[in-house]
Amino acid sequence: MEWNNGRERALFEREQAQKRKEYLAAGMTEEQIEILRNYDEEWYRSRRREAEHTQRLNVSVFDEDDGDDETQNPLIKKFLHSFSIEDKHWEEDRFAWIEQIEDEKLYCAISSLSKGDKELLTKVMYDGCTQAEIAKKFRLNQSSISRKIAHLKKILKNFL
């Protein structure tokens, strides 16, 4: 932001003079007026500090894809990685089906499973994968997957 301190200070002083007249007409004391002026003065200084320490991003330069790095704002160059996000909603929602379980005990039981067990359960129940497909994905033999599924059934059979 650009800040012309002389112009801004003159504007501030004019506003304060006008406010002082209004405050006196309203019956305020000099001490009360001074308290309000000090508050406004701090606000003025805050705006000045912000203006002096804020650099504008020239978005029109950012939008243009002319490949000329010389014209890009230095902040854009430095923080370009922060201007975009990577969509990972699929990772976070992988086990979203668990949140839809209404039985509180079953929900607690499934929520307390390890991430691997949740993934196995999701593959079997939600994705509809066969034991052979799961074994191939996890690079295990089918009997190992079968034992893990049997173990999960044993844990969850009280809730089904």
Side-chain angles (χ1 to χ4, degrees):
M1 293 173 70
E2 294 180 20
W3 183 266
N4 182 332
N5 198 48
R7 181 186 51 164
E8 295 294 333
R9 177 53 79 173
L11 180 62
F12 175 77
E13 294 299 336
R14 278 195 304 270
E15 288 174 356
Q16 289 302 309
Q18 180 63 33
K19 285 181 179 181
R20 186 173 189 285
K21 289 177 187 175
E22 292 172 9
Y23 295 155
L24 286 172
M28 292 178 74
T29 65
E30 288 293 331
E31 292 85 23
Q32 293 169 328
I33 295 171
E34 186 63 27
I35 290 170
L36 290 174
R37 179 182 168 73
N38 290 341
Y39 178 82
D40 288 343
E41 179 79 26
E42 184 55 39
W43 178 77
Y44 168 82
R45 288 186 192 131
S46 172
R47 283 183 35 232
R48 188 187 73 217
R49 281 190 302 268
E50 178 185 5
E52 290 176 350
H53 297 286
T54 302
Q55 182 177 5
R56 289 185 190 209
L57 291 177
N58 189 349
V59 178
S60 63
V61 173
F62 182 70
D63 289 339
E64 295 172 7
D65 192 19
D66 59 4
D68 185 13
D69 286 342
E70 300 278 325
T71 61
Q72 272 193 347
N73 185 296
L75 289 178
I76 292 174
K77 291 178 187 177
K78 184 174 182 179
F79 298 108
L80 183 60
H81 67 280
S82 299
F83 293 141
S84 61
I85 61 168
E86 187 175 339
D87 184 11
K88 293 188 175 185
H89 75 279
W90 55 271
E91 287 179 359
E92 296 166 7
D93 291 337
R94 178 75 179 135
F95 306 123
W97 63 272
I98 297 172
E99 299 298 323
Q100 297 172 2
I101 297 173
E102 293 179 4
D103 184 325
E104 189 175 336
K105 290 182 180 181
L106 178 60
Y107 171 78
C108 289
I110 293 176
S111 295
S112 65
L113 294 174
S114 70
K115 188 173 180 177
D117 286 344
K118 287 180 193 174
E119 181 63 31
L120 179 60
L121 199 56
T122 302
K123 289 264 183 219
V124 172
M125 302 300 292
Y126 190 71
D127 296 341
C129 295
T130 65
Q131 290 183 9
E133 292 170 338
I134 296 169
K136 187 176 181 181
K137 170 142 175 59
F138 290 122
R139 297 181 182 166
L140 298 170
N141 58 33
Q142 189 173 345
S143 62
S144 174
I145 297 298
S146 180
R147 281 193 305 274
K148 288 182 182 232
I149 291 173
H151 176 70
L152 288 174
K153 281 182 182 179
K154 186 178 178 182
I155 291 173
L156 301 175
K157 79 176 182 177
N158 297 330
F159 304 102
L160 301 176

